[in-house]
């Protein structure tokens, strides 16, 4: 079977994000960009399924501007066999991405699509769920373990207060949580090999999708600076402050 992994190019998680002076968004020019960490986990999971003989081919798909090819190359270096770039300079919101991925799924016919549970830039946590709804496929979100059967995937989900194990019938959508795996270190030979792997480029129009945003960002602002804390000398002092200053007890 084919497995598809969705990968997004985001501001690197080590970068301190800065808000643009006009408050229209966050600064992305001259900023290090990388693959969304949960998507690295998705590509690693797909690659392991191939290595274990459950998958025949791993396809990495990304939607975004031309530079997003770099992200696909990283996915190919981790272990994906080929990439699909759905190229657009439009601002992409989760619904538009889900529509584009749905069209890619219809072309490629994977039995399993693995996405990150959330992109660390918009923190939307919506795309996998929207894609499952649009395709009318079952979904297993926040996966920390995947066990493949002939026509099913048994997925351990990280839920509030513990773990939940569910079985979904393929084709299905899985979104990755942090503990699913530790993505492998990308080696230089694999980066070199990845350069020879094929990448198809499509446009939203090729897929018959209008990716125009449905939501308008009114303003992006820094969170208010936290006030400095104080050290209390004893428990009685702490209780007094909680009672009389914070008024929380
Ligand atoms: P979000 O719903 O934006 O938090 O994103 C959840 C997941 O959807 C990400 O971890 C990716 O796997 C996938 N995704 C979001 N945006 C894109 C994109 N532009 N291209 C490919 N995959 C994406």
């Amino acid at each position: 079977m084919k497995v598809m992994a969705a990968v997004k190019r985001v501001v690197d998680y080590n970068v301190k994000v800065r808000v643009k002076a006009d408050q229209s968004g966050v600064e992305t020019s001259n900023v290090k960009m990388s693959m969304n960490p949960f998507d690295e986990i998705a590509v690693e999971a797909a690659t392991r399924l191939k290595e274990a003989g459950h998958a025949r081919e791993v396809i990495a798909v990304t939607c975004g501007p031309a530079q997003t090819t770099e992200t696909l190359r990283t996915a190919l270096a981790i272990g994906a066999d080929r990439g699909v770039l759905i190229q657009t300079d439009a601002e992409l919101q989760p619904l538009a991405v889900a529509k584009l991925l749905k069209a890619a799924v219809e072309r490629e016919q994977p039995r399993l699509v693995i996405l990150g549970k959330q992109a660390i830039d918009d923190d939307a946590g919506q795309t996998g769920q929207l894609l499952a709804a649009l395709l009318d496929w079952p979904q297993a979100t926040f996966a920390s373990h995947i066990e493949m059967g002939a026509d099913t995937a048994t997925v351990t989900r990280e839920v509030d207060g513990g773990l939940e194990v569910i079985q979904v019938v393929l084709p299905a959508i899985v979104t990755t949580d942090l503990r699913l795996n530790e993505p492998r270190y990308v080696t230089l030979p694999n980066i070199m090999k990845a350069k020879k792997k094929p990448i198809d480029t499509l446009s939203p129009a090729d897929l018959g999708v209008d990716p125009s945003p449905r939501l308008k960002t009114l303003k992006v602002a820094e969170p208010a600076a936290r006030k400095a804390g104080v050290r209390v000398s004893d428990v009685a002092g702490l209780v007094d402050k909680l009672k009389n200053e914070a008024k929380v007890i």
Side-chain angles (χ1 to χ4, degrees), residues 5-10 36-40 42 61-65 68 84 86 88 92-98 100-101 114-130 174-176:
V7 297
K8 184 177 189 185
R9 181 172 182 262
V10 295
N36 181 45
F38 292 107
D39 303 352
E40 282 184 43
V61 181
T62 190
C63 316
T68 317
V84 176
I86 303 172
T88 171
L92 290 176
Q93 294 175 350
L95 181 59
V97 175
L100 293 169
L101 292 177
I114 313 181
L115 303 90
K117 74 165 178 179
Q118 84 196 61
I120 61 165
D121 51 0
D122 61 15
D123 273 341
Q126 297 172 8
T127 309
Q129 293 86 335
L130 287 167
V174 168
T175 72
T176 63

Side-chain angles (χ1 to χ4, degrees), residues 158-178:
E158 304 223 347
V159 292
D160 271 357
L163 299 173
E164 179 189 50
V165 182
I166 60 167
Q167 192 173 69
V168 287
V169 175
L170 303 179
I173 304 292
V174 168
T175 72
T176 63
D177 215 318
L178 207 56

